[in-house]
Amino acid sequence: MMKEPTIENFLEFEKKYKCNSIKVEGMPIWSLYRYEIHNEIKKQTVGRTAEGSEPPINKKDLLTMALNALKPFNYRNVDVLFVCDGRRSKNADTGVYENIYLDEISKKFNSVILEQPENRKHSTPNGMDNVYFTDRVAFKTNLAVKLSTKFNTPKRKRYEAGVRAAFTDIFKAIKEEFGPDITDKMVDEMVDRMYYYEITKKYCGKILDKAQPKLIVELCYYLINNFAMSELGKERGIPTAEYAHGFAFPTHTPMQFNPEERISVLPDYHLTYSKSQEDEVHFPDNVKLVPVGFPFFERERDRYKAKYPREEKTIVFISALAEGEQISKMAAEVSEALGDEYRVIYKLHPKEFGYYKERFPWLANSKVEVIDNSENHMFRYLAESGTIVCTRTAALQEGIGFGCRVILLNFGDTALNLKTLIEKENIPLVDTAEEITDLIKNNKAAFVNPNGMYEPNAIENLTRFISEIMMN
């Protein structure tokens, strides 16, 4: 009997076959690609996985990255090196695109922010004088993979042979235990990831030679630059900390490991928004969890609430990559059922901006107000709304923090991930647009106490943590 690809079964498989200890050409390739491997197993079995990715690279993208890549790195002897992607939100008051996680704390230290391109782009102006675009690594890795694939170079053949030798039996065991044969697809993609990682680590090493930081802080440790920085930190004795970019869930593969694992590409610390995350996040036991809160949320909540008064008859639906089609259909149906008396907002995931008109055509023919840009932060829509309708997205906790009533959609693993919160707060879990309409009309969406969702005094907590690390 085949096993379901639950996180528990996946972790059991990893432990049984010691997957995270396997290296090819010195690279811990399973650890670098385990999220995608688990997603592929789920995709071919239960059919649910995180969708959405960057569009294929083109010549214009390469030119843009090449021009940014020409800029030299001139930062020396910084205290803190921050590493992140290029996702920024526009401040409606200043016109500046902010990194809501790192900008504020970076200003308190002698620091530099390394910013990877997001969809091959950066949002400017960013209002910062300590941001360096790392397009050089994106340019070099994409070019190297393209050329190696086109010409099937000897190096690529060597990498492929190494991956097949190390993982053929592992992928055979995956087929036997879970069902799908993912060998050829995963081998090809893991070889690509080896190119990305090798080039990225070499590049990041040169940056560390110049920057000489006392601490590396990463946003989303499983981005390729951050994998490299974590391993380089261990090799060079530089502490590394990941700052959470949202609330984690117990089925999210990158946040779940067997406790005895020792993985070189993981950070030393994981900084969370809340003590509640200790029950949801399970890193190896040598990665320390530190609750610090979320300064941006703490600072901006009152400002947005004052600027955008709540309208109880405004409902905001939060899209999710894996269920965007289902959620958007419900939003259109609810909007039609509620009529002009209510305002229905549909907040797309940023990766849906470019394709939703083709994939979700029913939105164009509805009265739903679709948010398909980052001109205003999510907080505006949470401040304006009386009710939030979503799956297990991290926006749920933000909505609760803003005092929104809550309706949860019974899609994917929402019921599993939020079981404790649903039972404790008696949050309705619905399957149909009719149920949502009834709950809204009869004022039966759940109200959860907004206090306690985030650790208080967040900026002080972060400042203290960084200062203590640098003093050691």
Side-chain angles (χ1 to χ4, degrees), residues 24-57:
V24 178
E25 300 268 341
M27 289 176 258
I29 186 58
W30 178 277
S31 301
L32 294 171
Y33 215 65
R34 64 190 292 272
Y35 185 24
E36 290 82 357
I37 292 169
H38 192 201
N39 272 343
E40 187 62 28
I41 296 171
K42 289 189 288 184
K43 182 179 180 180
Q44 294 194 31
T45 51
V46 297
R48 184 185 185 281
T49 183
E51 297 178 356
S53 60
E54 291 188 359
I57 194 84

Side-chain angles (χ1 to χ4, degrees), residues 175-232:
K175 183 178 180 181
E176 292 172 351
E177 294 197 20
F178 297 107
D181 183 355
I182 63 173
T183 304
D184 290 339
K185 186 175 192 298
M186 289 297 100
V187 167
D188 192 49
E189 293 178 5
M190 290 168 80
V191 170
D192 286 352
R193 181 60 58 94
M194 288 176 68
Y195 271 92
Y196 293 142
Y197 188 69
E198 178 190 40
I199 294 169
T200 300
K201 188 179 177 185
K202 183 177 180 180
Y203 173 79
C204 290
K206 291 180 178 179
I207 285 180
L208 290 179
D209 289 341
K210 296 179 179 179
Q212 296 290 315
K214 299 181 178 70
L215 171 67
I216 300 169
V217 177
E218 306 160 0
L219 190 67
C220 188
Y221 83 84
Y222 46 96
L223 294 177
I224 195 72
N225 283 16
N226 296 340
F227 274 140
M229 284 296 185
S230 290
E231 187 164 62
L232 286 165

Side-chain angles (χ1 to χ4, degrees), residues 11-30:
L11 292 178
E12 181 183 357
F13 183 92
E14 284 190 317
K15 183 175 183 178
K16 179 180 178 181
Y17 293 96
K18 300 180 180 178
C19 297
N20 282 301
S21 66
I22 300 173
K23 294 187 177 183
V24 178
E25 300 268 341
M27 289 176 258
I29 186 58
W30 178 277

Side-chain angles (χ1 to χ4, degrees), residues 39-155:
N39 272 343
E40 187 62 28
I41 296 171
K42 289 189 288 184
K43 182 179 180 180
Q44 294 194 31
T45 51
V46 297
R48 184 185 185 281
T49 183
E51 297 178 356
S53 60
E54 291 188 359
I57 194 84
N58 57 43
K59 292 181 180 179
K60 183 179 180 181
D61 294 329
L62 285 172
L63 177 60
T64 300
M65 288 189 290
L67 292 174
N68 280 334
L70 294 174
K71 299 175 183 177
F73 182 84
N74 294 321
Y75 298 88
R76 301 289 192 278
N77 300 315
V78 303
D79 290 330
V80 189
L81 185 72
F82 294 94
V83 193
C84 61
D85 61 19
R87 188 176 300 177
R88 288 175 171 266
S89 300
K90 187 176 183 179
N91 185 310
D93 295 330
T94 64
V96 167
Y97 289 89
E98 301 174 299
N99 182 310
I100 65 174
Y101 308 98
L102 301 181
D103 281 1
E104 184 177 2
I105 189 65
S106 77
K107 293 174 183 177
K108 294 184 174 293
F109 297 92
N110 171 27
S111 69
V112 59
I113 299 175
L114 303 183
E115 184 177 291
Q116 305 175 56
E118 175 78 4
N119 291 326
R120 263 86 71 178
K121 296 177 178 64
H122 299 272
S123 297
T124 55
N126 58 37
M128 305 290 287
D129 58 6
N130 65 334
V131 176
Y132 180 77
F133 295 163
T134 60
D135 292 51
R136 187 177 305 175
V137 68
F139 174 78
K140 292 180 68 175
T141 53
N142 280 285
L143 189 60
V145 168
K146 271 184 170 294
L147 292 175
S148 74
T149 303
K150 182 176 181 179
F151 297 106
N152 195 20
T153 60
K155 183 175 183 178

Side-chain angles (χ1 to χ4, degrees), residues 85 87 99-102 218-222 242-250 252 255 270-278 280-281 283 289-297 379 392-398 453-454:
D85 61 19
R87 188 176 300 177
N99 182 310
I100 65 174
Y101 308 98
L102 301 181
E218 306 160 0
L219 190 67
C220 188
Y221 83 84
Y222 46 96
E242 179 200 24
Y243 184 45
H245 60 290
F247 281 82
F249 299 99
H252 187 44
M255 296 294 134
H270 176 63
L271 311 180
T272 69
Y273 294 170
S274 169
K275 291 179 181 177
S276 68
Q277 291 289 273
E278 295 175 359
E280 309 292 343
V281 175
F283 274 107
L289 268 60
V290 183
V292 294
F294 186 14
F296 182 81
F297 181 84
F379 291 174
R392 47 98 180 100
T393 172
L396 169 65
Q397 285 84 359
E398 294 173 343
M453 290 305 297
Y454 296 85

